[in-house]
Amino acid sequence: MADNGTAGKAVKVVSILLALLFLLNGGMKIAGMMVDQFAVWGYPAWFQYLIGVVEVLAGVGFLRRPTSFLAAVVVVPIMAGAIYTLVRAGTAPQAAVPAVALLLSLFVAKKSR
């Protein structure tokens, strides 16, 4: 769906914000900065790197209109998993960031089709 005007501008701004978020968070995971946290959550170390690579690729995808839909669709289950993990770990307030990212990704997916 080609969307001009206010909604199109909103998608562009939200996509840039999501790109920054996923490039930063994915880069941290690729750099191995969350190995201990993933272990606490019961995930193997390799899983952190896999999620990091997917997040960085999605971050790049959010920067281009033709790939923003795919980037949004890819990160929705990752953010759902992050929410589940944080709630299961007893740190539900920390789930706010992935919840917002999930909702914003759904917005981008809907408006980018």
Side-chain angles (χ1 to χ4, degrees), residues 75-93:
V75 299
V76 165
I78 292 173
M79 292 301 96
I83 294 165
Y84 169 78
T85 297
L86 292 167
V87 169
R88 185 187 69 189
T91 56

Side-chain angles (χ1 to χ4, degrees), residues 95-108:
V97 171
V100 170
L102 185 146
L103 293 173
L104 292 175
S105 296
L106 289 171
F107 170 75
V108 170

Side-chain angles (χ1 to χ4, degrees), residues 28-107:
M28 288 173 53
K29 290 174 182 88
I30 291 170
M33 298 173 74
M34 296 184 67
V35 173
D36 293 341
Q37 193 61 53
F38 270 67
V40 166
W41 294 327
Y43 298 120
W46 64 263
F47 190 64
Q48 170 198 220
Y49 299 106
L50 173 66
I51 295 298
V53 168
V54 173
E55 287 182 350
V56 166
L57 291 173
V60 172
F62 276 116
L63 293 174
R64 297 193 60 238
R65 181 76 176 195
T67 56
S68 59
F69 173 78
L70 180 59
V73 169
V74 165
V75 299
V76 165
I78 292 173
M79 292 301 96
I83 294 165
Y84 169 78
T85 297
L86 292 167
V87 169
R88 185 187 69 189
T91 56
Q94 292 178 10
V97 171
V100 170
L102 185 146
L103 293 173
L104 292 175
S105 296
L106 289 171
F107 170 75

